[in-house]
């Protein structure tokens, strides 16, 4: 998944980017609100991690504008404020969750998963389509009971397909979900990962179908 991190503390930001990157997420870092606006104008995100005190403004103002503009991308606020009234204010402004600094990265990861599950209307991390069970937390896919481990980008690719079975995703969209701006990759790289995922789906009733000239979709056989 692609996250936007709005955080001016470079050391903390790097630690978050590195930690979420280990899980295969693409994390764009914006050190201020202006950069965050540029990022949001250029691509879509599954989740925003938002600091409050930023060099060019208040994260709460950003959050208010974000919701007023009918943007439903979930937001987790990273805050040093521990007063109940501050947390209530942020939730009322439209935050989906908050985490108080300093925090443990495993808690941040768990809160990210919980917010994303709620957005998808799911109570569990596991997702099932036909006879395929995808478990992003365990990093596995089970086809008719046969379990295979997934590498990070295979996992994130399946995450995209499981988010909307039968929907067609273009190569450019998949590149955007799997790679950061810093990575010099071509759309052909997607063919490699689609090929690997197809092998892991063999023997089941699900396939990744090429829609010529448009992209790929996960569909039942």
């Amino acid at each position: 998944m692609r996250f936007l991190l709005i955080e001016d503390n470079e050391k903390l930001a790097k630690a978050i980017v590195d930690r979420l990157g280990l899980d295969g997420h693409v994390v764009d870092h914006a050190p201020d609100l202006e950069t965050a606006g540029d990022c949001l104008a250029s691509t879509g995100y599954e989740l925003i991690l938002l600091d409050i005190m930023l060099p060019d403004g208040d994260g709460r103002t950003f959050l208010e504008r974000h919701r007023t503009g009918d943007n439903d991308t979930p937001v987790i606020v990273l805050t040093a404020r521990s007063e109940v009234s501050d947390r209530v204010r942020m939730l009322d402004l439209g935050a989906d969750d908050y985490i108080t600094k300093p925090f443990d990265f495993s808690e941040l990861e768990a809160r990210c998963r919980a917010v994303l599950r709620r957005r998808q209307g799911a109570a569990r991390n596991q997702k099932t389509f036909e006879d395929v069970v995808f478990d992003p937390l365990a990093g596995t896919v089970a086809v008719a009971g046969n379990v295979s481990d997934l590498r990070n980008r295979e996992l994130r690719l399946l995450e995209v397909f499981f988010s909307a079975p039968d929907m067609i995703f273009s190569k450019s969209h998949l590149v955007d979900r799997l790679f950061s701006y810093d990575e010099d990759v071509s759309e052909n790289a997607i063919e490699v990962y689609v090929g690997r995922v197809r092998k892991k789906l063999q023997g089941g009733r699900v396939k990744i179908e090429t829609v010529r000239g448009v992209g790929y979709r996960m569909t039942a056989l």
Side-chain angles (χ1 to χ4, degrees):
M1 298 219 173
R2 195 175 195 105
F3 297 170
L4 175 61
L5 170 63
I6 310 173
E7 169 62 64
D8 65 330
N9 183 316
E10 292 289 339
K11 186 175 179 181
L12 175 60
K14 184 178 185 310
I16 294 173
V17 170
D18 289 348
R19 181 64 181 250
L20 295 176
L22 288 175
D23 289 338
H25 295 296
V26 175
V27 184
D28 294 328
H29 171 220
D32 51 48
L33 295 177
E34 182 179 0
T35 307
D38 292 342
C39 290
L40 288 166
S42 63
T43 191
Y45 293 93
E46 275 77 28
L47 181 64
I48 296 173
L49 302 173
L50 173 66
D51 187 21
I52 293 299
M53 304 303 291
L54 293 157
D56 58 348
D58 191 316
R60 288 167 295 195
T61 305
F62 170 89
L63 177 60
E64 195 167 19
R65 286 203 308 264
H66 182 70
R67 292 300 181 223
T68 304
D70 260 352
N71 195 322
D72 64 354
T73 305
V75 176
I76 297 178
V77 172
L78 315 176
T79 177
R81 296 173 180 269
S82 57
E83 295 296 325
V84 171
S85 58
D86 289 322
R87 301 198 297 267
V88 169
R89 167 81 171 141
M90 287 181 280
L91 291 170
D92 284 344
L93 283 174
D96 295 85
D97 199 358
Y98 63 85
I99 187 166
T100 306
K101 300 177 183 176
F103 50 78
D104 189 283
F105 287 115
S106 61
E107 183 183 358
L108 176 63
E109 291 171 316
R111 288 181 181 275
C112 290
R113 289 194 296 270
V115 167
L116 292 169
R117 281 200 309 272
R118 287 202 296 271
R119 189 190 190 199
Q120 296 167 0
R124 300 192 308 160
N125 287 305
Q126 276 191 358
K127 298 178 181 179
T128 301
F129 182 63
E130 296 291 331
D131 61 347
V132 176
V133 179
F134 170 52
D135 189 334
L137 186 55
T140 60
V141 62
V143 179
N146 298 314
V147 180
S148 298
D149 292 327
L150 296 166
R151 295 184 178 182
N152 278 343
R153 288 200 169 111
E154 298 166 359
L155 188 157
R156 298 307 164 200
L157 185 60
L158 274 179
E159 207 165 44
V160 173
F161 286 126
F162 268 83
S163 70
D166 294 318
M167 179 178 285
I168 301 172
F169 295 97
S170 68
K171 281 186 178 180
S172 60
H173 176 87
L174 296 175
V175 167
D176 186 68
R177 298 299 93 179
L178 267 65
F179 299 96
S180 69
Y181 293 125
D182 298 334
E183 295 174 285
D184 184 20
V185 296
S186 70
E187 292 183 359
N188 290 337
I190 293 299
E191 295 177 10
V192 174
Y193 290 104
V194 167
R196 291 178 183 174
V197 168
R198 279 175 169 155
K199 287 181 181 176
K200 294 188 175 179
L201 294 178
Q202 285 178 353
R205 300 196 301 272
V206 174
K207 66 177 180 179
I208 305 297
E209 182 178 71
T210 301
V211 182
R212 189 176 297 277
V214 183
Y216 300 97
R217 67 180 167 195
M218 183 177 75
T219 188
L221 287 172

